[in-house]
Amino acid sequence: MGIRAWYPARATVRQRLATPILRTKLYVPPPRPQAVLRPRLIARLNEGLHRKLTLIASPAGFGKTTLISEWGARSGRQVAWLSLDAGDGEPVRFLTCLVSALQTLTLNGVKGIPADTRHSVMSVLESPQPPPIEAILPALLNEVSAIPFDFILVLDDYHLVDNKQVDAALAFLLEHLPPQMHLVITTREDPDLPLARLRARGQLTELRAADLRFAPAEAAEFLTRVMGLTLSTEDIAALEGRTEGWIAGLQLAALSMQGHQDAHGFIRAFAGDHRYIVDYLVEEVLQRQPEPVRDFLLQTAILDRLNGPLCDAVTGQPGGKARLESLQRGNFFVVPLDDTRHWYRYHHLFADVLQMHLMAERPDQAPALHRRASAWYEQNGAAADAIRHALAGGDFERAAGLIELAAPGMRKTRQDATLLGWMKALPDETFRTRPLLSVEYVGVLLTSGELVGLEDRLSEAELWLDTSAGGRARTEASAAEMVVMDEEEFRRLPGSIAMYRAAHALILGKVPDTVKHARRVLDLTSEVDHLLRGGALAILGLASWRIGDLEAAHRLYAEGMSHLRRAGNLTDAVEGAVTLADIRLAQGRPREAIRIYEQALQLGMAQGAPAIALRGTADVYMGLSDLHREFNDLDAATQHLLKARALGEHAGFAQNQYRWPLAMAQIRWAQGDLDGALDLLNEAERLYSTAFSPDARPIPAMKARLWVTQGRLGDALGWAHERGLSVADDLSYLREFEHITLARVLLAGYRTEPADRALLEATGLLDRLLKAAEGGGRMGSVIEILILQALAHQARGDVPAGLAPLERALALAEPEGYVRIFLDEGPPMAALLENAAKRGATSGYVRQLLAALGKAEDRPLVKQALAEPLSERELDVLKLLRTEMSGPDIANTLMVSLNTLRTHTKNIFAKLGVNTRQAAVRRANELDLL
């Protein structure tokens, strides 16, 4: 449960970050009138159209954008073009731009993706609480699949997008790419996509720097026909050799030589690497420009994108549009970003050198230029760009004001990473006079897991509160004046500060402080302030859960979620269902947990497009998976996990990423694949991060239980020693699961090497645990403890004594449908249940459990004429080895790691006495194993 569920941002987004500017950089740049056609490359691109992806990867200056624009214009297909910049790494912003690009597709009056409708992907993206992009991808694929013509989507400068979620989303799109769509990526570095898999499947076309270099004939055509130079064959060869066919170098050299009296001498004068050549040639180009042109180039070098009005605002001179058109016509490293020539950008290398010249020649001008750009972007509704330029220009007061206005809406749309970067760029003194900004910073830090200095920031904000004056500001000894951008938010500031103090205390495990601050929130806020009151009640519920008072925890947390729903924060309500269901499960009420999850799914899937779920829906599916596993419906459990993964959980958008491998580990465990289960538990442990919800079932303790099942008692004892566990410990709810695990370890030790002391310690600990769990109403623990008491009596040969706790466990478990909690105990439980059946204990339920235990025991008994039979999981692997699937595909199908698959394969080869995949299949057929 993240902090957003307790202090969500306000519903009103006062300043949008997605602006019309984003929709103007989408169209394919037209080919230059005098562009050099490159038949050899055009042919390769055409040949790759039947594949999924074309990757154009090279350093700057190799003509990637120009090549694709020339080809796209002649490909015979519609082209959607998205020119990316560093600001497009935010997942929601990226997908908004991508969908906008697709909406430009039109053929014979038919639009590729219809205009925004209530249930369209774009309408969901532009909603106050857009879901994560991975949740939207299935709906986007549906819209793309409906496009009635072939088309190309170009992602230009993809290296500027540095976000794993965006990479994962793009990998998902590639995996399910509709046949009429072809994706093109231009980049300076290989993207984090499954390129090896695509390459092996023949689904990838690649052009690299070596492919893009001008051949001598192409260089000659470019220099003579495009750049208008008259050079000898020897000079052309020399220039091509010096630049090694590097297109940007050739273009800069050509610009430098235009009007030069001694072209031959010029060519002989320069040499070196690309960076040196660029510096040298740009210097030559700039020196030859009239002063107005030079001024324009240097002043606008600070801009990532250029249009006429923006350039006019930055330079303080009119005529920017005409100047840009003139530069573009003169092949002056100006790249159009749309087919109406409204937006442009400088070639990246050219821009870098222009900026260096600006800082070297006119360093005092740069801040003012950035401030003008910031003001223009603010006036045109582009808050993100306005903030970026204010920060770049060192105008921290302006940046702080813009961030303060944007923060509530950005937190609501989960753009915390961007906010954190901006806030970290501000000097500390900026926050001292801005209490609202300081408190927003605390919220972002809490969400990001950064806890250092939180209390200092809250105290600084609190200095500006004068409780005797009804929340108005007071002036401290300093002469500084408080800055507040929103008076309404300032009036709520005391409650916000108390809220974050409560959340901070909860993370630190300080329950009394948590309760004190949360109750102060309730005292400070009105009944209609559903956001703060909902957050405070949710925190009180989590505090109660931490100390094991589950009924109070559920009541308070449910009340908090009700407030958040009334506030319109439906995402928080869906995410909160996971907490409510976990509490009910701890109370031994899985059927009610199922109902909670089903209601959350109805809420989560009712918003926006039918195929789009709110954030948290994947966690709900994972919770349902675990419950169906307990009911021994392993197929349903697996299907729910697959739904979670389809929503993007494995790509990382779920609230608690560790839950997916944890749930799958328990399914593998139930299937008898203990090694696979351990691999998944290790992955879950790696992904786990401290959460606001109590860690009531620690993953290391689950690993210790698995080690006991594997017979690795030494490892389990090592875990208990490392955790400092003892049968004499004071008991607490947060360590209850660990102490029950310790009892399991002691019982396993007794079975291995009978010693009365170990058994007495185990039974004594179980007696104490039972009393504590019963007192706290934790019936899930009660059932497990009773089962272990029955097994302890059985272990010392007193089966009749074991039947009493077993029958009580059965009576508690039957109404709720528990199954795996009995089955996982294996043959010893089967023997006990048979004795219970003879005594008539809930006979129908016992027969059901015995039947399930019989099936579980029969599963590995496939007829195998082998000295060491194959396990069920190894048989699953063997069946897939006879297909044409690759190793990674098999691992993906079985939902195991590649290392686990290799281990299974190695074991299969050893048991069958073979060395190759083909030999394993032949041997399996001989033995009738398939």
Side-chain angles (χ1 to χ4, degrees):
M1 177 65 197
I3 185 65
R4 299 187 190 95
W6 312 323
Y7 183 49
R10 296 179 63 196
T12 301
V13 181
R14 288 160 291 185
Q15 198 159 0
R16 293 180 57 82
L17 295 179
T19 72
I21 290 172
L22 294 177
R23 297 201 183 196
T24 61
K25 52 173 187 161
L26 307 172
Y27 312 94
V28 56
R32 296 177 184 175
Q34 294 181 307
V36 176
L37 294 180
R38 310 186 70 186
R40 61 186 179 89
L41 298 182
I42 298 295
R44 287 184 61 180
L45 292 171
N46 286 335
E47 290 168 3
L49 270 174
H50 70 282
R51 303 185 179 106
K52 288 186 174 184
L53 173 65
T54 294
L55 178 68
I56 317 291
S58 73
F62 276 87
K64 299 182 289 291
T65 300
T66 301
L67 173 65
I68 295 301
S69 65
E70 292 170 358
W71 169 65
R74 296 170 172 82
S75 66
R77 296 193 179 194
Q78 295 296 298
V79 180
W81 189 288
L82 178 54
S83 181
L84 296 161
D85 58 40
D88 296 327
E90 192 72 39
V92 172
R93 178 167 171 148
F94 173 83
L95 200 54
T96 301
C97 295
L98 189 148
V99 174
S100 296
L102 294 174
Q103 286 182 329
T104 66
L105 294 168
T106 304
L107 181 64
N108 299 327
V110 178
K111 291 186 69 67
I113 293 182
D116 302 351
T117 62
R118 180 175 175 269
H119 293 305
S120 70
V121 169
M122 184 61 81
S123 68
V124 173
L125 283 165
E126 294 180 339
S127 65
Q129 283 186 297
I133 61 172
E134 295 87 350
I136 300 173
L137 292 177
L140 174 59
L141 282 170
N142 288 340
E143 290 193 2
V144 173
S145 298
I147 295 176
F149 48 79
D150 293 342
F151 69 95
I152 299 167
L153 172 63
V154 179
L155 301 180
D156 194 20
D157 288 333
Y158 187 76
H159 58 275
L160 295 174
V161 176
D162 184 16
N163 188 293
K164 291 187 181 299
Q165 284 184 275
V166 172
D167 291 335
L170 204 56
F172 180 88
L173 282 174
L174 279 168
E175 184 68 24
H176 304 89
L177 202 72
Q180 69 269 42
M181 176 176 171
H182 182 75
L183 180 64
V184 177
I185 294 177
T186 74
T187 176
R188 294 188 191 177
E189 57 192 35
D190 278 3
D192 188 12
L193 298 173
L195 299 180
R197 186 193 311 166
L198 292 168
R199 195 178 292 122
R201 293 175 176 176
Q203 296 172 342
L204 174 65
T205 298
E206 297 175 85
L207 293 180
R208 304 284 178 172
D211 305 302
L212 296 172
R213 295 181 192 278
F214 268 163
E218 291 171 331
E221 182 184 3
F222 174 76
L223 292 170
T224 56
R225 185 169 68 83
V226 177
M227 300 307 295
L229 296 177
T230 302
L231 299 175
S232 67
T233 303
E234 292 76 12
D235 283 341
I236 291 174
L239 194 55
E240 191 275 333
R242 294 287 177 88
T243 59
E244 298 179 335
W246 182 47
I247 299 169
L250 283 167
Q251 187 174 356
L252 280 166
L255 287 170
S256 301
M257 284 186 289
Q258 286 175 349
H260 207 289
Q261 297 300 314
D262 185 9
H264 180 74
F266 177 88
I267 293 170
R268 294 173 56 88
F270 78 91
D273 62 20
H274 289 173
R275 180 80 264 174
Y276 173 84
I277 293 173
V278 169
D279 292 347
Y280 175 77
L281 294 177
V282 171
E283 176 69 24
E284 287 284 321
V285 171
L286 288 177
Q287 283 183 354
R288 293 179 176 277
Q289 301 311 311
E291 194 63 26
V293 175
R294 181 183 173 85
D295 287 344
F296 180 88
L297 292 170
L298 294 179
Q299 290 172 343
T300 57
I302 64 161
L303 301 172
D304 292 334
R305 302 187 300 276
L306 310 98
N307 71 12
L310 174 57
C311 291
D312 292 347
V314 170
T315 63
Q317 299 291 328
K321 183 176 185 296
R323 182 78 69 191
L324 288 169
E325 291 172 350
S326 174
L327 291 171
Q328 198 266 330
R329 286 195 301 272
N331 292 308
F332 216 88
F333 288 92
V334 175
V335 180
L337 296 178
D338 57 63
D339 56 2
T340 61
R341 287 176 171 80
H342 182 66
W343 283 94
Y344 300 83
R345 68 167 171 84
Y346 289 128
H347 189 288
H348 296 307
L349 281 175
F350 191 63
D352 289 345
V353 179
L354 286 178
Q355 290 167 20
M356 289 190 336
H357 276 269
L358 173 66
M359 297 311 297
E361 299 174 20
R362 310 174 186 182
D364 55 322
Q365 285 190 14
L369 296 172
H370 279 294
R371 283 195 294 271
R372 293 174 194 168
S374 176
W376 188 89
Y377 276 118
E378 181 189 10
Q379 292 165 8
N380 286 271
D385 292 304
I387 292 167
R388 183 167 51 83
H389 278 288
L391 290 172
D395 192 345
F396 298 120
E397 283 301 314
R398 174 180 179 77
L402 291 168
I403 294 170
E404 188 172 316
L405 286 172
M410 292 183 67
R411 297 202 63 218
K412 196 175 186 71
T413 54
R414 307 313 201 234
Q415 298 182 64
D416 299 272
T418 299
L419 270 177
L420 184 61
W422 289 343
M423 289 178 172
K424 284 188 172 182
L426 295 174
D428 280 346
E429 54 266 24
T430 307
F431 294 95
R432 295 194 182 107
T433 58
R434 292 179 174 272
L436 288 180
L437 185 63
S438 191
V439 171
E440 287 285 4
Y441 195 10
V442 169
V444 174
L445 290 170
L446 274 171
T447 302
S448 305
E450 299 186 24
L451 307 182
V452 178
L454 294 187
E455 180 55 39
D456 291 341
R457 295 205 177 276
L458 290 174
S459 297
E460 284 179 359
E462 202 168 34
L463 288 174
W464 294 100
L465 297 177
D466 182 0
T467 55
S468 66
R472 299 301 298 173
R474 66 184 175 89
T475 302
E476 292 298 303
S478 68
E481 294 184 1
M482 182 182 69
V483 181
V484 169
M485 306 299 292
D486 188 321
E487 286 291 337
E488 180 186 346
E489 281 295 298
F490 183 76
R491 285 190 289 273
R492 301 173 72 244
L493 186 60
S496 300
I497 292 173
M499 172 69 67
Y500 285 130
R501 282 206 170 108
H504 190 201
L506 184 66
I507 291 176
L508 298 177
K510 298 179 179 180
V511 175
D513 288 344
T514 301
V515 173
K516 178 182 72 174
H517 294 306
R519 293 207 175 280
R520 176 165 169 74
V521 177
L522 298 178
D523 292 338
L524 291 170
T525 55
S526 69
E527 289 292 334
V528 296
D529 192 341
H530 295 301
L531 292 177
L532 285 178
R533 295 188 73 81
L537 288 164
I539 287 178
L540 286 171
L542 292 172
S544 296
W545 188 10
R546 189 175 287 270
I547 61 175
D549 188 352
L550 300 185
E551 194 54 43
H554 190 276
R555 174 176 51 80
L556 290 165
Y557 199 88
E559 189 178 352
M561 292 303 103
S562 176
H563 276 283
L564 292 179
R565 278 195 298 273
R566 277 181 277 176
N569 284 59
L570 301 181
T571 294
D572 296 320
V574 172
E575 291 177 341
V578 178
T579 297
L580 291 171
D582 281 348
I583 294 172
R584 283 302 192 223
L585 191 57
Q587 291 179 295
R589 297 158 70 172
R591 294 197 187 281
E592 188 168 346
I594 286 274
R595 285 194 293 273
I596 291 170
Y597 281 138
E598 289 173 347
Q599 290 169 2
L601 282 182
Q602 291 174 3
L603 179 64
M605 301 302 288
Q607 310 306 311
I612 299 174
L614 290 176
R615 182 183 294 270
T617 307
D619 295 279
V620 171
Y621 277 118
M622 287 182 277
L624 283 169
S625 171
D626 196 48
L627 289 169
H628 282 281
R629 177 201 58 82
E630 178 54 51
F631 298 153
N632 202 36
D633 189 348
L634 301 186
D635 288 339
T638 302
Q639 287 304 311
H640 282 305
L641 275 190
L642 292 175
K643 288 179 182 177
R645 189 168 68 171
L647 286 172
E649 149 56 23
H650 223 39
F653 90 85
Q655 182 186 356
N656 299 304
Q657 297 181 36
Y658 73 91
R659 292 180 73 110
W660 198 96
L662 181 60
M664 183 54 75
Q666 294 180 91
I667 293 175
R668 290 283 177 258
W669 194 338
Q671 293 170 333
D673 182 9
L674 302 186
D675 290 338
L678 185 58
D679 281 348
L680 287 160
L681 286 178
N682 287 329
E683 182 184 354
E685 188 175 22
R686 179 181 60 80
L687 291 173
Y688 182 81
S689 59
T690 302
F692 292 93
S693 297
D695 187 13
R697 297 171 64 87
I699 296 171
M702 298 190 70
K703 289 171 59 178
R705 293 181 175 211
L706 181 57
W707 287 330
V708 169
T709 304
Q710 290 179 311
R712 296 167 57 179
L713 189 58
D715 289 332
L717 287 168
W719 161 81
H721 178 73
E722 182 181 322
R723 293 292 297 151
L725 292 168
S726 164
V727 295
D729 290 339
D730 291 335
L731 301 182
S732 68
Y733 170 64
L734 283 184
R735 303 203 77 181
E736 187 167 88
F737 188 79
E738 290 184 313
H739 280 117
I740 295 173
T741 305
L742 175 61
R744 287 182 172 278
V745 174
L746 292 171
L747 283 175
Y750 177 78
R751 293 192 187 101
T752 303
E753 191 173 327
D756 290 342
R757 179 181 176 184
L759 188 60
L760 288 172
E761 287 181 338
T763 55
L765 177 58
L766 288 170
D767 288 343
R768 295 172 59 218
L769 286 166
L770 181 62
K771 184 177 180 180
E774 287 177 330
R778 301 187 291 276
M779 304 314 290
S781 293
V782 167
I783 294 171
E784 182 180 6
I785 294 166
L786 289 169
I787 288 172
L788 292 178
Q789 285 182 326
L791 292 170
H793 286 298
Q794 181 195 48
R796 68 182 180 192
D798 191 355
V799 172
L803 293 180
L806 176 62
E807 288 172 357
R808 187 178 170 208
L810 289 167
L812 292 171
E814 182 179 11
E816 293 293 336
Y818 282 97
V819 177
R820 289 302 323 176
I821 199 169
F822 295 98
L823 267 58
D824 291 342
E825 305 300 337
M829 177 54 63
L832 276 173
L833 288 171
E834 286 173 357
N835 280 279
K838 292 174 184 177
R839 289 177 38 154
T842 55
S843 56
Y845 184 43
V846 171
R847 283 196 298 272
Q848 174 192 343
L849 294 176
L850 282 170
L853 273 164
K855 291 178 182 177
E857 291 172 3
D858 290 342
R859 262 201 315 266
L861 301 180
V862 178
K863 55 180 181 179
Q864 300 181 30
L866 294 171
E868 184 180 358
L870 299 178
S871 69
E872 181 186 6
R873 177 51 64 191
E874 288 165 353
L875 285 169
D876 291 339
V877 172
L878 184 59
K879 290 173 184 175
L880 294 176
L881 288 178
R882 66 178 175 178
T883 70
E884 297 297 321
M885 296 172 66
S886 67
D889 288 340
I890 293 175
N892 188 51
T893 299
L894 296 174
M895 288 176 284
V896 298
S897 70
L898 195 54
N899 284 336
T900 297
L901 176 66
R902 288 168 179 156
T903 299
H904 287 317
T905 305
K906 182 178 178 182
N907 291 339
I908 292 169
F909 287 0
K911 292 177 181 181
L912 295 178
V914 299
N915 295 313
T916 68
R917 178 172 175 170
Q918 293 78 8
V921 173
R922 284 197 302 271
R923 179 65 173 148
N925 286 327
E926 292 169 1
L927 296 173
D928 198 23
L929 297 178
L930 298 175

